[in-house]
Amino acid sequence: MSQITTQLDDSGAVDPTLPPDPSRRFWVASACAVGGVAGVATAVPFVSSFAPSEKARAAGAPVEVDVSNIAPGQMITVEWRGKPVWIMHRTPEQLEHLGDNDAELADPDSQRPGYTPEYAVNEYRSRKPELFVCVGICTHLGCSPSPAFTPGPQPGLPSDWEGGFFCPCHGSYFDLAGRVFKNKPAPDNLEVPPYVFSADGTRITIGVDENNKA
């Protein structure tokens, strides 16, 4: 089994690789993180890890990822089923403010079906509060949002912005749990894929969980 990872911080460089599915042509914008609005993008470098063969990838082979070295405030991108999957290590400060904008969110409790597994129906949308895993594709028309982790007023974002993701294609934005704001083109929160942690908590396997067996 293999994986493809990407190290992300506020100043990282990027060398993205296009996914095999051309219908997801926009997701490379996430890896470059240069789309759309000045001042909100964060570079997302794309780094190779244990990648399945093309045939296995097309069949949806699980992807194992080492998460032990993701520093607080950083995010990596891995490829699963031809889609970008983001794994972010949220800081204590980011977790503290995660609920500040709940009243402005379309589905703050992740009750809409199809985008959040049962184990992620919580305020963090994750198995562990600090580690957030989601598919980096906007639920509107399949563009890939850009990380916009810096809080505060910025072009295209609310004045009380606490950090999250901005989709440059049609202006949807999501908080640091991938929850979409109200009255935006995206109809739903970002998808949380099936995943499990290893026994020691240092790795996750994307593509398997209690209801999805390898």
Side-chain angles (χ1 to χ4, degrees):
M1 184 184 299
S2 16
Q3 71 182 2
I4 295 176
T5 57
T6 306
Q7 193 67 34
L8 161 102
D9 62 26
D10 284 345
S11 61
V14 136
D15 183 13
T17 302
L18 284 173
D21 181 357
S23 70
R24 299 304 185 191
R25 61 192 180 279
F26 290 111
W27 80 263
V28 70
S30 170
C32 297
V34 295
V37 176
V40 302
T42 302
V44 186
F46 196 81
V47 179
S48 169
S49 65
F50 301 103
S53 67
E54 290 297 324
K55 182 177 180 180
R57 186 182 302 159
V63 177
E64 188 177 62
V65 187
D66 184 352
V67 297
S68 62
N69 295 317
I70 307 175
Q74 290 187 326
M75 185 178 84
I76 65 172
T77 298
V78 303
E79 182 184 343
W80 173 67
R81 292 186 172 178
K83 299 182 286 189
V85 173
W86 296 337
I87 306 170
M88 182 182 183
H89 188 163
R90 295 177 289 206
T91 66
E93 293 76 18
Q94 289 170 332
L95 292 173
E96 180 183 355
H97 293 286
L98 198 55
D100 288 1
N101 293 323
D102 279 7
E104 302 174 49
L105 304 175
D107 183 21
D109 299 320
S110 300
Q111 295 300 306
R112 295 178 182 175
Y115 289 88
T116 312
E118 184 177 351
Y119 47 80
V121 179
N122 52 56
E123 61 182 312
Y124 308 109
R125 295 192 78 221
S126 60
R127 288 186 181 273
K128 292 185 177 182
E130 66 275 19
L131 283 177
F132 175 55
V133 182
C134 76
V135 175
I137 294 176
C138 182
T139 54
H140 181 217
L141 291 177
C143 297
S144 186
S146 298
F149 296 158
T150 303
Q154 295 158 70
L157 295 173
S159 59
D160 57 350
W161 183 245
E162 294 292 349
F165 307 93
F166 176 82
C167 186
C169 292
H170 302 98
S172 297
Y173 41 85
F174 306 81
D175 74 354
L176 287 170
R179 299 177 298 179
V180 68
F181 280 67
K182 293 178 181 177
N183 303 316
K184 297 299 171 184
D188 291 293
N189 298 336
L190 297 178
E191 177 186 0
V192 174
Y195 71 95
V196 293
F197 276 90
S198 61
D200 62 4
T202 64
R203 308 182 74 81
I204 66 171
T205 302
I206 300 166
V208 295
D209 63 12
E210 295 84 343
N211 298 313
N212 298 271
K213 305 301 180 182

